Each structure stands twice: as structure tokens, then as C-alpha cells.
Amino acid sequence: MSNYKHWRLEKDAENIVWLGMDRAGNSVNSINDEVLDELNSLLQEIAAMSDAKGLIIWSAKPKGFVAGADVNAIAGLSNPAQAVDFIRKGQAVFSRLEALGIPTVAMIDGFCMGGGLELALACRYRVASDARDTRLGLPEVLLGIHPGWGGTVRLPRLIGGFAALSQVILTGAPLSASRAKQLGVVDDVVPVRQLRRACIRFVQNKPAPHKPGFLEALSNLVWVRPLLARVFRTQVAKKIRKEHYPAPFAVVDLWEKEGGAGERAYLKEADSVERLVSEGDTVKNLIRVFFLRERLKAFAKDTGFAAKHVHVIGAGVMGGDIAAWCALRGLRVTLQDTGSERIAPAIARAHALYRKKLKKPRPIQDAMDRLIPDPNGHGMAQADVIIEAVFENLEVKQNIMRQMEALARKDAILATNTSSIPLDEINQVMKHPERLVGIHFFNPVSRMELVEVVSSQQTSTSVANDACAFVNQIGRLPLPVKSSPGFLVNRVLMPYLMECMQLLEEGFSGESIDEAAKAFGMMMGPVEMADTVGMDVCLAVAENLTGHFGGTVPAKLRQMVAQGKLGRKSGEGFYRYRDGRPVRGKASCTPEQQREIAERLVLRMVNESTACLREGVVADADLLDAGMIFATGFAPFRGGPMHYAQSCGEERLSALFTELSARFGERFQREALVVKPETVSE
């Protein structure tokens, strides 16, 4: 058989052709021009095999099926015309696969995402393994586009438009193998050991391909689509704004008009992606965010550290939720506090989390069994990672460090979850300060992806690397930062929140301030964010930062803490909360006021970001942007505070600072250094 760079072609004794994808020079499979060209040639070769009984496409990599289109290739396209050529080439090759006159099967084990799923959809059958890491999805909306290799055509045709959009395309979220089977995305789910045999059975038995049921098929009808499209637009608009993220709205428009039928639908799919690529910087910035995520993941690659047992000291909101998350991710966790009654609420919250995430009784019970109340701290001596997560008090934390150092194994990671106290102050009581590292989670732990890995001047490099590996192990993104007051995220976030307090004191409503921030692109407004973080935490961080950098803590903040109005966790902060949701009134400010509110909030963040870069709190502007996007929801489509500052241009940025400093004083005095972000690459 012919030799190819990225594919393995074999024919077995039963004349079944096995086509294995093995992208050269890459640890996982992804699709670029060269891969498509070879696949096109291979399909012509296979079509000419008169004795071929069927084709099974599989991955020759040890991990995953196909991750999707090569994002580097997409990012490297210099103009929309090149993007359209790439899309139409993929469409043509996958149509050739679909048109083969023999049974075709995609054998899926591990991730099958984006263009990988579109490749599988072009096959007559799809068989997936029941492995935990088998996930199928079309995440293109997260990059500011939508499927372009036939996904918007074949998936609605396969499972109905309603399910295709609501469960897969609009969410961008991956499906488990079992859920994919329920929807009809895959035809069978089997244990890994039976995967090859199951694929062979489909070739031999040639069952009728899956078709949507009666109700599912109704959603594709021309008179039904406009009704459902209105529902989709309404639901999407509750989460995002069209002017910020047009891709989900574009795919709804596309499906409403074309319905996933006919050759015209493929042409319109390509045209729609071309418009998304050519209009504005959203796609470029979201691809940049993708690479920022990959860069953070790479910090965990320099060590073989893998924890089995985590011990958490402090069963409050943060400590309890850190413990719950670690147990959810498969680790044995012991949770310590001064008494069982203080641990019980954390166990109850963990059970609620597991019911939401795991759904089935057995996995829920398994996770609960891994989370062990430990009021006497017996688990400390056996743990691989020990995390202190008590309230922000230096003396208390130092006392805990003495205990940790005395009882812990010599190779255990000793970590603090402090949100603002410099490690060089905490480690003063330690015999081996090089062992202490900050592993700083954000609230809510189950939703916030970023974790700051904080190094003091004395923290060992190997300890910091192991901490990054641990963070990655529990499914979070590690960001290395230097120990300084507030570290990176809280340091940059606090001026933003303090400006919010100032705006409240000036008479603007919380609703108006939050609406202005969301109109700019923030995922959450600063008023709701303060409530979510907690007024007590905000006060502790504000006191710490003003003690180091000057300034005053707003009296309103102290007053609210004194009154027990701590935010979401107490049921009332700036907003009242009902069933965990804020009860809001209507925003009431003019467009000009809304613009000014956003400028004041964001420029405070830009200024503090610049100071952090100058002081070396984080290595570069790209990592700073990553931290603020993944920890605070800074408008991803704008690329982060420093990228946004660069996009404003020096003249406009300088004029804004000059105007605001003249009106509001020295807090808008521009920091001297604005660093141009580096080009992010994989």
C-alpha cells in the first residue's frame, strides 16, 4: 500500500480497509491542509479498490481520536479568502468520504472535537469507547466561529436541528460517549477492548444509518425552524451579546435559512464562517485566548509529580470547596477544622456539587467516600499536598505553617491559599521556607479555572513546578506569579472594585454599574463580583493592599462587613439573593454615562496591570492577560487588559487617562510603562 506522512493505510484479511490518522510531529491528531490533501488522495485510492468491504477510520495516537482543525493553521490564515479555501477544501474531502460506496465507520476512543467530529459525521457509522476521557463536541463557537466542514449540515440532519444546536453547536461543550449515544451522535458505545470488533460488525452487518426520530425531524421543517430560531436567539442573548460574540447568532441564522439540507447549505456554511473571520477582531482574539490557555497548561509539563492524597486545613467556603473539588477529580482528601460541626457544611456543599456534576448514585458515593472529615488532622502526615485555607490572618497562618512543617512528609507540597498576604511574611517562621508555595484558588472553586501558583523569593523551583502539575492534575490552569501583596489577580482586580465602590458612592446604582461592565464585555459586573467574592474577603484584601500601596478602604465596605452583609454567601450584599441569584432592578443611566463608567473601571485595571508588569509580578503581558481572563472574566473577545490597551492605541489611551486624571485625581495618573503583549504561540 502507498506511504503517507500523516496516515496509515492497511487492509485486513476480510478486505476491510483500516485508515489510521497519525499526524507527524504532533502528540495528538489535528487537521491541516496537508492532512486534508493526503486524505483526499487516500479516499480516491480506496474508492478504486474493487474488493474493499468497508473503511474504518481510527487514531494511531495513544491519546484521542482527532482534536479538530489545527488552530495554528487557522491562526496563520492571513485573510478571509484563505480561510474560505481551507473550509471548502475540508468540505470537499469530507463529502468524498461520505460518498464512498462502502460502509464507513469512525472508531472513536478519547477526544473527538471540532473537525474531528465533522470527519466522523461524514462516516456512515460512529462507534465510541466508553472510556471516561471519550468526549465529542463542536467547540468552534468558543473560537468565535462555527463548524465549517459540514457540521452545521450533517449534525442537524442526523439528530434534528433542535438537539444539534441546543446540545452541541451552541454550547461548544463536549458530550460524554453515553450522552452522544442518547442523542444519536454515535451509533454504539462499547468497552475499549471491544471497539475494533464492534466497528467490524457495523461493516459486516450494514445496519440502516441513524435517522432522527419523528419529533427530532420536525425541528428541521421549514415552518418550524423560524419558531425555534427565535427561542435559540432569546436563550443565547441571555448569556452573551451579539455585538461581542456573533458566532452563535450566525449559526442560528444559518440553520433557520438552510435547515441542514442540500449542497447550498455547505456553501452558506462557508460564507457564514468567512463573514465571522472578516468582521472585527473577535475571532483573532479568541484564538489568542485559546493559545493562552495552552500556554498555562504547559507549565505543568516539567515535572512528573502526581498527588494521590490532599489534606486541606480550613473547612470554610474556600477550604471546603477546594477539598470537594479535589475529591471530585479523583483524589483522596482529608478535611481538617476545629470540630466536626465546622466540617459538616462543607460536606453538604460537596454532596450538592457531586449531584450536579456526577448525577448517578454510584459516582456520587465514590466521590463522597474520597472526602474524609478529619477534625484532628491525622491526614496531614500522609498527604502529598497540604493546603492551608483559613481566614486571612498572618499569625494564624504562621502557626499552621509550624504544624505543617513539623508533621508533613519531607516531599509533600506545603501550600497556602492566602489571597493577599505575601509568602515572605508567612514563611518567616519556617525552618525550610523554600518548601512553601501559594496555591491560590478563586471563588467559586468549581467554576473558576485559574489558580495562581505563587513563589516567594525563597520558594524552590521544583516545588513551584510540582504545584503547577498538581493544579493541572485537578483540571485547573496554573499561573506562576511572584509573591507580592495581592499577587496578580487580586492586585489588579481591587482598583477595579474600589472604583466600583466610588461609583456607588456617587449615586450610580449597582445595576447601572454592572450593566456598563457587561456592555464592555465583562462576564460579570463588579458589583455582583464583589458579592460573589465576599465583602469580608474584599475587606481583607483591600486592607492588605492599602497597607502596602497606600489609599483608603471605602467606609461602605467596612460598614457592610460589620452588618454581616457579606454578599452571596450571607444572602445579602450590594444585592439581595434569592435561591443564590441576585434580585436586580433596572439599570438607569445614559449611554454616555455607561461609556464613562466602563472607562473608569477598565482603566483602573489597565493601570494596575502596567504596574504589575513593571514590578515583575508576572512574567509578561500575555500571562497577565490570561490571568485576568480566566480568573475574572475580563472580556475574552477583547483579549485581556493589556491587549485591550494596545488595541486602543497610544493616542486614545493617553487622552483618556489625561481626561480622567483631570476630573478624578491621581488614581488615574497613568503608569509610566505600557508593555506590548508578546505574540502568543503554541
Side-chain angles (χ1 to χ4, degrees), residues 134-285:
T134 295
R135 291 287 185 270
L136 303 92
L138 295 172
E140 286 86 349
V141 291
L142 304 180
L143 296 178
I145 54 176
H146 59 65
W149 286 339
T152 68
V153 181
R154 292 189 179 93
L155 190 61
R157 198 167 61 201
L158 182 69
I159 65 173
F162 180 79
L165 269 69
S166 66
Q167 300 298 306
V168 185
I169 298 175
L170 290 177
T171 68
L175 303 170
S176 66
S178 59
R179 180 60 177 152
K181 175 68 165 59
Q182 288 176 344
L183 291 173
V185 178
V186 298
D187 297 280
D188 202 4
V189 176
V190 299
V192 175
R193 66 182 183 277
Q194 298 176 13
L195 195 54
R196 287 177 63 90
R197 189 69 246 167
C199 291
I200 292 170
R201 282 200 302 271
F202 273 90
V203 170
Q204 293 174 334
N205 297 337
K206 302 177 185 176
H210 176 82
K211 291 184 178 180
F214 175 74
L215 290 177
E216 289 82 3
L218 277 180
S219 66
N220 283 333
L221 295 179
V222 66
W223 60 272
V224 176
R225 295 199 305 268
L227 302 176
L228 290 177
R230 282 198 291 272
V231 174
F232 285 139
R233 291 189 189 98
T234 300
Q235 293 301 314
V236 171
K238 290 179 180 178
K239 298 179 180 179
I240 58 174
R241 298 172 187 244
K242 185 175 182 179
E243 62 269 27
H244 297 161
Y245 302 99
F249 297 92
V251 80
V252 173
D253 292 344
L254 178 66
W255 173 74
E256 179 185 10
K257 293 172 183 175
E258 305 302 328
E263 288 303 312
R264 170 187 156 100
Y266 293 102
L267 297 176
K268 293 298 181 181
E269 179 186 66
D271 290 344
S272 179
V273 175
E274 179 186 16
R275 283 193 297 274
L276 291 169
V277 171
S278 62
E279 295 174 1
D281 292 330
T282 295
V283 174
K284 180 174 66 176
N285 285 340

Side-chain angles (χ1 to χ4, degrees), residues 52-91:
K53 302 298 184 185
L55 169 65
I56 297 174
I57 298 178
W58 61 290
S59 169
K61 298 291 187 187
K63 184 178 180 181
F65 181 65
V66 182
D70 186 338
V71 181
N72 280 303
I74 297 173
L77 299 173
S78 59
N79 57 64
Q82 285 185 329
V84 170
D85 288 344
F86 187 48
I87 292 165
R88 289 184 174 156
K89 177 186 285 188
Q91 288 181 345

Side-chain angles (χ1 to χ4, degrees), residues 18-36:
W18 293 81
L19 184 57
M21 186 174 177
D22 190 8
R23 173 82 186 271
N26 288 264
S27 59
V28 298
N29 285 325
S30 61
I31 301 172
N32 64 2
D33 266 314
E34 200 172 56
V35 170
L36 286 173

